[in-house]
């Protein structure tokens, strides 16, 4: 029997604020344990949360970019459970009335084409801390509350995803959008983007939903895809073997490459959600919504279409150039400063990408400006340097951050196109090779190549070969 | 009346140079020496520190300059143990001031001590204190009421000039009534809750306990006002002390809810309250019978809303970060269970269980959500009454102070002690309790005056005008006066 998977993703993204959601502690990563804490995020008796407005602005930006409708009123709720990394004994989240609902993002695969994945809701919540367990000789556990109260949004998708590859693409697209609008750095390695998946299988063509499992701990795009591929196989094998799928939470074991049962439905928490009486409902005015909307940058899909239209790029090249806002901006600035956007694109996606990939560098790390790249393109266009030389110049630009004119000068690369200068050299070469001149006169036109080689050697390859060719024929005929 | 001072008397005496802050502080300290062993109002006293500070006080005279004031031990004061009268918080020293504590400090008060309460403010007698029971200065065999029983007893016995308490379902007004002093529960949002250890966040409110309505108004003007650290703190016109105490009450309309004068009301309490109502009429107040039809559901609603919030608010006392932690446990679950089983008293555990149940999946709609709906109906009752009335007058509690131990085995009877005060918290409106007479056993009886949201001025004006023509509030209890 042929099966199809039904996948929904719950993604947590850390919002890019300097301070936490309900206190003024820093959100920066990597500090010594419990140094970014205060009575509020430590959950001390009697303290109260005060909402950081910046959090809601970023969450709204993200929601709008995900095509969601912002609810005029959203309500913070308490999610109650005991765990040492949760100092209040509850997490402040949103439940019945989330900030935003009913969005979608579009993904495209070669195999399955363009598809829309629905977004059920986006809600705002605080992060928990981190438990650290002592080593084999240390029976203690420790708690680091630096992360407690760091602002997150949870983005819950509809069960619209059918293939593990689509799940990966959804995550990547989501990351790109969040980064575009500046809502999140979405760095998976730093845990700024985390993903849980709900997954079930059913016979292809069926509209009923199977029993789902929840997969946690997939901390890279690759692992999202691999974990889901594994889980689909596991579920199919189980069903084929006549077993029943149990509703449970499973952990992706990176080392073993398998998912493992963590807890069953019966062990699930009753979170006893209720509206947090310490916070008032969050009301979004039309003015506020309009302001946030007006601050949204051009989003990736729109940018891609425009790049194809405006610069005549291929869909593939455009999609690479818009992969980050910085990359796209770099391209546009360079394209504006020269007359060949296509050439800029080729350089960026060719040699420059090669350098950057080799170093694991980002566009932000470049030591030269978009104008410098534009200048390089112009130098080639105007015949000042050859394409081969340009590659060399770009390497120096990339390594040393020098502008192309400086590199060309330092390397003595300018082509000699000046006719007067070249005529002198050519005359000298003709005078030195009377035998070859006779051959030319006898009709052996091929010897022109010999003369070109001589001129190039005499000019250390700086002569413009096109100009040399023209002049040589003329002067040989006159000789 | 030696050794009993109101805020206004003490201020007048400072002004005339009849007494210095150091002399006043020593008198208070002497009174504590004399009666505290019997009353047991305080969890901690800071007499030496108070005396030192009083001696060092400099001009100019700030609003509470040199006034010895007691603070309920569920309000955080930086560097001072804050126990909530619970074993689970014994030894907890907050590194921050509650906003109210900050405002008292800025106004130049002298901290006398932190007063006893029912554990986490859950109770009506201080018998639920995890530390000890406070005794009523009018009759040491009786309770002072609760949960702010320590604050009310301290004011009644002259162990401070005034005190602050907190009121979630009557916790300021009922003990004020039992101890023959004035207790004001301000409108929800009038006084910042920052630093008040939460019992039920949507109901809790800090307020003054004083000897006179005049003093209550004065103290409210110091501790009230918007606080950016409390999102539920209201941005409204500040309370005007002058408006509350300067004007008369002629022409005000006072509603008498018939539901508050039915079965369960002690005949002596009824008689004294009705007496007070006629005295208000003598002052030119017009009295009108009204109905608050949803009153009978007040107690049930309260014990769902308050316990639900409490079950969540008290989750943080888990032995992980501060306070008590059970020793010798084998794993995390056992640490939680042992810490909370041993650290909390019976009443707190009872309420945590009730609240947990009310919020559980499958029961949420039937209990918590239903209670929130009834709460809205109760609030609407008051809104409707205030269309025709400027204030509502009721008894504060159905009986005078009861005997220690009398109701401990029957939580439901104990809960009924707050039957007249609870709806006010559910509606979020202000109310004050003032003494309006004594029972045949010489126990104080309290009159409750309830007002419109943020109209503390009208109820305090009524209370103040009443006190100008009566002397119940000037009576001294046997313990403290002897
Ligand atoms: Zn903090």
């Amino acid at each position: 029997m042929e099966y199809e998977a039904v996948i929904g993703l719950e993604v947590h993204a850390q919002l890019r604020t300097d301070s936490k959601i309900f206190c003024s502690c820093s959100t920066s990563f990597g500090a010594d344990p419990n140094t970014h804490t205060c009575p509020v995020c430590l959950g001390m008796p009697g303290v109260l949360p005060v909402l950081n407005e910046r959090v809601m602005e970023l969450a709204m930006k993200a929601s709008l970019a995900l095509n969601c409708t912002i609810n005029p009123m959203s309500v913070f709720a308490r999610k109650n459970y005991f765990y040492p990394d949760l100092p209040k004994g509850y997490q402040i989240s949103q439940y019945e009335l989330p900030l935003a609902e009913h969005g979608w993002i579009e993904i495209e695969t070669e195999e399955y084409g363009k598809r829309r994945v629905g977004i059920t809701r986006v809600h705002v919540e605080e992060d928990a801390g981190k438990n650290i367990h002592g080593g084999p000789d240390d029976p203690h556990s420790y708690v680091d509350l630096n992360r407690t109260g760091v602002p997150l949004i949870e983005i819950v998708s509809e069960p619209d995803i059918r293939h593990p590859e689509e799940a990966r693409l959804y995550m990547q697209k989501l990351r790109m959008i969040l980064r575009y609008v500046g809502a999140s750095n979405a760095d998976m390695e730093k845990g700024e983007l985390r993903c849980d998946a709900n997954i079930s299988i059913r016979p292809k063509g069926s509209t009923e939903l199977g029993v789902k499992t929840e997969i946690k701990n997939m901390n890279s795009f690759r692992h999202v895809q691999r974990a889901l591929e594994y889980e689909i196989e596991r579920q199919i094998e189980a069903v084929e073997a006549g077993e029943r799928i149990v509703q449970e939470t499973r952990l992706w074991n990176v080392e073993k490459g398998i998912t493992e049962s963590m807890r069953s439905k019966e062990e699930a928490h009753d979170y006893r959600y209720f509206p947090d009486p310490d916070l008032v409902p969050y009301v979004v005015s039309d003015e506020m919504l309009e302001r946030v909307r007006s601050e949204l940058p051009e989003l990736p899909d729109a940018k891609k279409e425009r790049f194809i239209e405006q610069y005549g790029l291929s869909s593939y090249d455009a999609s690479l150039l818009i992969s980050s806002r910085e990359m796209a901006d770099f391209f546009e600035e360079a394209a504006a400063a020269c007359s060949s956007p296509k050439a800029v694109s080729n350089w960026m996606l060719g040699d420059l990408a090669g350098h950057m990939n080799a170093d694991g560098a980002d566009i932000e790390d470049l030591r030269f400006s978009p104008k410098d790249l534009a200048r390089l393109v112009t130098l080639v266009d105007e015949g000042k340097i050859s394409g081969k030389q340009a590659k060399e110049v770009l390497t120096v630009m990339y390594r040393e951050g020098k502008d192309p004119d400086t590199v060309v000068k330092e390397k003595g690369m300018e082509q000699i196109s000046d006719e007067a200068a070249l005529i002198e050299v050519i005359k000298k070469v003709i005078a030195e090779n009377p035998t070859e001149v006779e051959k030319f006169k006898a009709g052996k036109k091929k010897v022109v190549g010999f003369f070109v080689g001589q001129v190039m050697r005499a000019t250390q390859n700086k002569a413009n070969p096109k100009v040399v060719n023209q002049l040589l024929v003329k002067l040989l005929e006159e000789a | 009346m030696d050794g009993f001072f109101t805020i206004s008397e003490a201020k007048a005496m400072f002004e005339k140079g009849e007494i210095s802050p150091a002399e006043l502080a020593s008198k208070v300290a002497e009174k504590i020496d004399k009666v505290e062993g019997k009353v047991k109002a305080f969890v901690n006293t800071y007499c030496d520190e108070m005396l030192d500070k009083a001696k060092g006080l400099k001009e100019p005279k700030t609003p509470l300059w040199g006034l010895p004031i007691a603070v309920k031990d569920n309000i955080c004061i930086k560097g001072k143990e804050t126990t909530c009268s619970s074993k689970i918080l014994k030894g907890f020293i907050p590194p921050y001031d509650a906003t109210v504590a900050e405002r008292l400090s800025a106004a130049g008060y002298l901290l006398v001590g932190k007063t006893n309460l029912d554990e986490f403010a859950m109770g009506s007698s201080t018998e639920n204190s995890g530390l000890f029971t406070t005794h009523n200065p009018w009759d040491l065999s009786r309770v002072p009421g609760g949960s702010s029983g320590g604050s009310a007893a301290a004011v009644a016995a002259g162990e401070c000039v005034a005190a602050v308490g907190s009121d979630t379902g009557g916790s300021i007004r009922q003990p004020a009534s039992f101890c023959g002093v004035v207790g004001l529960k301000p409108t929800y949002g009038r006084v910042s809750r920052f630093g008040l250890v939460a019992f039920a966040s949507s109901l809790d409110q800090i307020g003054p306990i004083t000897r006179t309505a005049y003093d209550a108004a004065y103290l409210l003007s110091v501790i009230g006002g918007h606080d950016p650290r409390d999102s539920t703190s209201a941005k409204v016109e500040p309370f005007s002390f002058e408006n509350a105490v300067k004007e008369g009450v002629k022409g005000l309309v006072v509603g008498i809810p018939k539901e508050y004068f039915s079965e369960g009301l002690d005949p002596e309490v009824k008689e004294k309250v009705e007496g007070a109502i006629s005295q208000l009429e003598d002052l030119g107040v017009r009295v009108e019978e009204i109905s608050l039809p949803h009153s009978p559901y007040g107690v049930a609603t309260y014990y769902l809303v308050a316990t639900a919030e409490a079950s969540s608010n008290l989750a943080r006392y888990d032995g992980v970060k501060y306070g008590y932690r059970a020793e010798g446990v084998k794993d995390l679950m056992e640490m939680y269970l042992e810490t909370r089983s041993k650290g909390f008293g019976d009443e707190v555990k009872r309420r945590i269980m009730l609240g947990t149940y009310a919020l559980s999946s499958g029961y949420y709609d039937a209990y918590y959500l239903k209670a929130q709906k009834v709460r809205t109906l109760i609030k609407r009752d008051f809104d409707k009454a205030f269309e025709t009335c400027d204030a509502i007058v009721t008894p504060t509690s159905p009986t005078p102070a009861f005997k220690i131990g009398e109701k401990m085995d029957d939580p439901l009877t104990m809960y009924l002690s707050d039957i007249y005060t609870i709806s006010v918290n559910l509606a979020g409106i202000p109310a004050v309790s003032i003494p309006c007479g004594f029972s045949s056993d010489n126990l104080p009886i309290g009159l409750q005056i309830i007002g419109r949201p943020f109209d503390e001025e009208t109820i305090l004006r009524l209370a103040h005008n009443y006190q100008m023509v009566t002397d119940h509030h000037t009576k001294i209890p046997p313990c403290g006066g002897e």
Side-chain angles (χ1 to χ4, degrees), chain A residues 333-348:
Chain A
E333 233 182 281
C338 68
S339 54
S340 179
K342 185 82 184 102
V344 171
S345 167
N346 288 344
W347 281 111
M348 282 182 72

Side-chain angles (χ1 to χ4, degrees), chain A residues 296-311:
Chain A
L296 279 184
E298 183 181 29
L299 294 172
D301 287 347
K303 202 182 275 291
K304 181 181 164 189
E305 289 309 311
R306 184 169 62 78
F307 276 19
I308 293 169
E309 185 100 338
Q310 185 175 339
Y311 301 111

Side-chain angles (χ1 to χ4, degrees), chain B residues 105-401:
Chain B
S105 277
Y109 90 130
L110 301 174
L111 174 67
V112 182
K114 305 285 300 284
T115 56
N116 193 27
L117 59 148
D118 289 290
E119 186 178 6
F120 284 103
M122 298 178 183
S124 312
S125 68
T126 73
E127 290 165 291
N128 295 329
S129 166
L131 309 177
F132 51 83
T133 299
T134 299
H135 297 248
N136 192 320
W138 289 91
D139 177 350
L140 293 170
S141 71
R142 289 177 189 268
V143 302
S147 66
S148 312
S151 285
V155 173
E159 296 181 279
C160 56
V161 167
V164 290
S166 69
D167 191 317
T168 306
S171 278
I172 286 175
R173 291 159 288 157
Q174 184 255 24
S177 159
F178 281 16
C179 292
V181 294
V182 176
L184 171 69
K185 187 213 85 92
T187 311
Y188 186 78
R190 172 69 87 186
V191 181
S192 169
R193 292 186 298 116
F194 183 86
L196 166 67
V197 180
F199 158 18
S201 314
S202 75
L203 302 161
D204 296 341
Q205 191 63 191
I206 295 175
I209 297 176
T210 54
R211 305 191 68 81
T212 64
Y214 186 95
D215 282 3
Y218 187 76
L219 200 46
L220 178 62
S221 70
V222 173
I223 62 172
H226 178 252
D227 176 14
R229 287 186 296 183
D230 175 0
S231 308
T232 63
S233 148
K235 284 180 186 155
V236 289
E237 279 283 293
F239 165 76
S240 165
F241 168 61
E242 282 73 23
N243 287 352
V245 296
K246 291 256 161 76
E247 288 172 50
V249 293
K250 202 168 177 345
L252 287 180
V253 179
V254 160
I256 312 296
K258 56 180 186 222
E259 293 84 359
Y260 284 57
F261 291 83
S262 54
E263 59 168 322
L265 179 59
D266 179 286
E268 278 189 315
V269 173
K270 185 163 186 267
E271 182 200 322
K272 299 297 172 192
V273 168
E274 284 171 348
I277 292 167
S278 353
Q279 272 172 303
L280 286 173
E281 281 185 295
D282 293 345
L283 290 168
V285 168
R286 213 176 79 223
V287 171
E288 174 174 291
E289 194 189 81
I290 58 162
S291 174
L292 298 168
H294 293 93
S295 304
Y297 307 109
V299 172
T301 304
Y302 175 85
Y303 278 96
L304 288 170
V305 174
T307 58
E309 292 179 11
S311 72
S312 174
N313 282 332
L314 271 61
R316 67 189 63 195
Y317 310 110
D318 56 5
V320 174
K321 308 160 293 276
Y322 45 73
Y324 172 73
R325 175 193 292 173
E327 292 300 327
V329 293
K330 67 174 193 310
D331 59 19
L332 179 65
M333 183 55 86
E334 201 178 300
M335 183 185 89
Y336 283 149
L337 293 174
E338 286 292 297
T339 297
R340 290 168 66 82
S341 299
K342 290 179 178 154
F344 289 133
D346 287 349
E347 181 61 24
V348 171
K349 281 185 271 193
R350 184 179 295 128
R351 295 196 194 191
I352 289 173
M353 284 190 281
L354 254 173
T356 302
Y357 189 76
L359 290 174
S360 296
S361 90
Y363 299 98
Y364 181 86
D365 289 1
Y367 294 116
Y368 181 78
L369 207 59
K370 176 78 70 58
Q372 289 294 3
K373 288 177 183 163
V374 178
R375 185 176 182 178
T376 306
L377 296 175
I378 289 172
K379 191 174 180 314
R380 280 193 202 145
D381 280 359
F382 282 107
D383 290 344
K384 188 156 180 293
F386 286 124
E387 284 172 13
T388 55
C389 302
D390 298 302
I392 294 167
V393 168
T394 75
T396 304
S397 189
T399 64

Side-chain angles (χ1 to χ4, degrees), chain A residues 13 94 131 149 175 223 273 309 332 341 346 393 411 435 456:
Chain A
Q94 294 185 315
N131 289 350
R175 176 175 188 271
H223 286 306
Y273 281 100
E309 185 100 338
E332 287 213 273
N346 288 344
V393 173
K411 292 224 166 211
T435 331
M456 292 311 280

Side-chain angles (χ1 to χ4, degrees), chain A residues 264-318:
Chain A
S264 71
K265 190 191 171 193
E266 285 70 33
E267 298 165 84
H269 297 285
D270 178 356
Y271 291 120
R272 292 172 282 119
Y273 281 100
F274 74 106
D276 191 334
D278 286 335
L279 290 160
V280 291
Y282 185 74
V283 176
V284 182
S285 67
D286 291 346
E287 291 84 353
M288 192 193 297
L289 194 56
E290 271 326 295
R291 184 175 58 75
V292 173
R293 202 187 290 279
S294 72
E295 286 170 8
L296 279 184
E298 183 181 29
L299 294 172
D301 287 347
K303 202 182 275 291
K304 181 181 164 189
E305 289 309 311
R306 184 169 62 78
F307 276 19
I308 293 169
E309 185 100 338
Q310 185 175 339
Y311 301 111
L313 303 176
S314 71
S315 167
Y316 180 75
D317 286 357

Side-chain angles (χ1 to χ4, degrees), chain A residues 20 23-25 36-42:
Chain A
K20 293 185 179 180
C23 64
S24 53
C25 290
H36 290 173
T37 56
C38 70
V40 173
C41 55
L42 290 176

